[in-house]
Amino acid sequence: MIIHLKESIDQKTAEEIAIKTDSICLKKGSKFILINSGKIKAIKGDFNNAIEESFHFESDIQLASRQYNSDTIPIAIAGKIIGGNSRNMMVITGPCSVESVQQIESCADFVSDLGISVLRAGSFKPRTSPYTFQGLGLEGLKILSKVREKYGLKIISEARDATHIDEVIDHVDIVQVGAKAMYDQGILRKCGKAGKPILLKRGFGATLQEFVQAAEFILCSGNENVILCERGIRTFETKTRFTLDLCGVAYLKEHINLPVFLDPSHAMGYAYGVADLTRACVAMGVDGLLIESHPNPKIALSDASQQLNFKEFRTLYDSLGAIASAIGRNII
Ligand code: PEP
Ligand code: MN
């Protein structure tokens, strides 16, 4: 249940009512709102003269629900808007990992040349094995920050766990919460206070309910700039790395008020399928795409099999505009 308190209710009174009603108190614009479990249909106690309006839901998908706010939240990135009524589709690319200054500068040259405004690269890598490259950590974030200054690009990079979330928030323009970190409440709560857009990836074993509830942790901590990213879920199929859940994306578009991105690279796991899958993603009419590219994928230190080389990416990128315009979207 979400309760909008009257504009005349001050912070102290709002917090007192929150304690008495087991609610989270959040400031939204000039008003305070209270949020408690979706199971609660009426609060105990007589607060009628403090309440302006209340909203009821079938589950704990509340702030993210289109029942609460029917419009997709607009998020400003690199001076452009995704979501809202923008019809923009933002393409973000870059390597899986930051590997060296030279590698990142080569990627920055490439994306700048294409007119892409956001570069992706992970530095705290959530690897499946402890014996593989774990990322350059803080050093990698510093490389990304320098590239941001030199090229005027925006940067997205991921947090692996809550131990270094502050460093990630300090250095990036968009915080990526990876599939394996989707349940990390230390990360989610910090993201709620980050004051920067968050790209939350769906855990590969997470239901849509769990996925959106993870977003609710960020939203109810005060950050409404959350992008949901579908990147493939685990099914019985092993020929591809994961299975991209486009049905889930249709659900999110219909019921959830947050912008949706698709990541075909991690879903497919093999470069040969990424171009076709990306075109299918564009046809889905989402708000953005996250695609891995690398100057020389063969020697990439992580996710080598799925990264596109620059020639492959350019050919793919050039093919997207026509599909986007057929569904009334603009590639940005
Ligand atoms: C990545 O984006 O490189 C990554 C590790 O993705 P995911 O969290 O979806 O596995
Ligand atoms: Mn990767």
Side-chain angles (χ1 to χ4, degrees):
M1 181 181 190
I2 299 178
I3 299 164
H4 283 201
L5 296 177
K6 289 186 177 151
E7 198 144 0
S8 55
I9 302 297
D10 62 16
Q11 183 162 355
K12 189 166 166 284
T13 316
E15 282 167 359
E16 277 166 15
I17 304 175
I19 291 168
K20 286 184 191 147
T21 59
D22 282 333
S23 306
I24 290 170
C25 181
L26 187 63
K27 187 156 194 207
K28 224 175 165 214
S30 53
K31 288 183 211 159
F32 289 92
I33 71 169
L34 306 180
I35 315 152
N36 51 34
S37 164
K39 292 197 185 95
I40 296 174
K41 301 299 171 209
I43 48 166
K44 291 193 189 103
D46 184 14
F47 301 107
N48 280 345
N49 45 17
I51 295 174
E52 184 182 270
E53 207 179 347
S54 7
F55 303 81
H56 302 273
F57 304 90
E58 286 141 33
S59 74
D60 279 350
I61 295 179
Q62 304 193 89
L63 292 167
S65 170
R66 287 208 194 273
Q67 263 175 273
Y68 177 55
N69 182 357
S70 58
D71 299 332
T72 305
I73 300 288
I75 301 183
I77 298 173
K80 295 163 192 160
I81 298 289
I82 55 152
N85 47 19
S86 72
R87 308 293 294 163
N88 286 332
M89 196 179 291
M90 177 169 272
V91 177
I92 297 178
T93 191
C96 181
S97 298
V98 185
E99 297 171 6
S100 66
V101 175
Q102 193 197 21
Q103 173 237 21
I104 286 298
E105 290 205 339
S106 152
C107 295
D109 271 329
F110 177 63
V111 301
S112 305
D113 191 41
L114 289 175
I116 289 175
S117 359
V118 185
L119 176 69
R120 63 142 289 147
S123 200
F124 288 94
K125 294 305 297 179
R127 303 308 301 282
T128 310
S129 165
Y131 309 120
T132 54
F133 177 62
Q134 304 293 300
L136 297 182
L138 183 57
E139 186 196 331
L141 292 180
K142 288 184 181 159
I143 294 174
L144 290 172
S145 292
K146 286 209 181 110
V147 160
R148 178 210 285 112
E149 277 161 43
K150 185 163 166 190
Y151 291 82
L153 290 166
K154 300 293 177 194
I155 299 295
I156 174 167
S157 194
E158 72 203 282
R160 181 175 58 217
D161 60 60
T163 58
H164 54 267
I165 179 67
D166 293 329
E167 289 162 356
V168 175
I169 292 171
D170 280 353
H171 286 83
V172 305
D173 302 290
I174 307 170
V175 181
Q176 178 175 322
V177 181
K180 291 175 190 133
M182 188 208 87
Y183 288 108
D184 186 324
Q185 299 190 3
I187 290 183
L188 298 176
R189 290 181 193 280
K190 285 273 180 150
C191 285
K193 304 283 177 215
K196 291 186 176 177
I198 311 297
L199 181 132
L200 176 66
K201 286 192 163 195
R202 180 181 182 183
F204 47 74
T207 62
L208 292 164
Q209 180 77 33
E210 290 163 338
F211 181 28
V212 183
Q213 278 181 195
E216 291 273 339
F217 273 95
I218 305 172
L219 300 170
C220 79
S221 306
N223 186 354
E224 65 172 13
N225 296 316
V226 180
I227 301 164
L228 299 177
C229 180
E230 161 62 32
R231 46 76 73 208
I233 53 172
R234 175 138 296 152
T235 65
F236 54 81
E237 187 50 71
T238 55
K239 296 291 188 210
T240 58
R241 191 176 181 194
F242 293 97
T243 299
L244 193 64
D245 184 11
L246 295 184
C247 296
V249 170
Y251 164 86
L252 296 172
K253 286 179 63 179
E254 179 70 14
H255 296 285
I256 305 301
N257 63 32
L258 302 173
V260 178
F261 274 42
L262 271 162
D263 170 352
S265 301
H266 288 86
M268 185 66 210
Y270 300 99
Y272 77 83
V274 169
D276 282 347
L277 196 53
T278 302
R279 286 187 279 265
C281 291
V282 172
M284 259 326 270
V286 285
D287 302 290
L289 300 162
L290 199 62
I291 303 164
E292 285 190 342
S293 58
H294 189 286
N296 185 358
K298 284 195 197 79
I299 58 159
L301 298 180
S302 58
D303 286 349
S305 64
Q306 72 198 28
Q307 303 197 59
L308 301 182
N309 64 35
F310 291 168
K311 188 164 171 279
E312 289 165 335
F313 183 86
R314 189 184 286 271
T315 307
L316 167 62
Y317 189 65
D318 288 345
S319 73
L320 302 182
I323 306 168
S325 74
I327 56 149
R329 292 263 184 175
N330 323 304
I331 300 284
I332 58 166

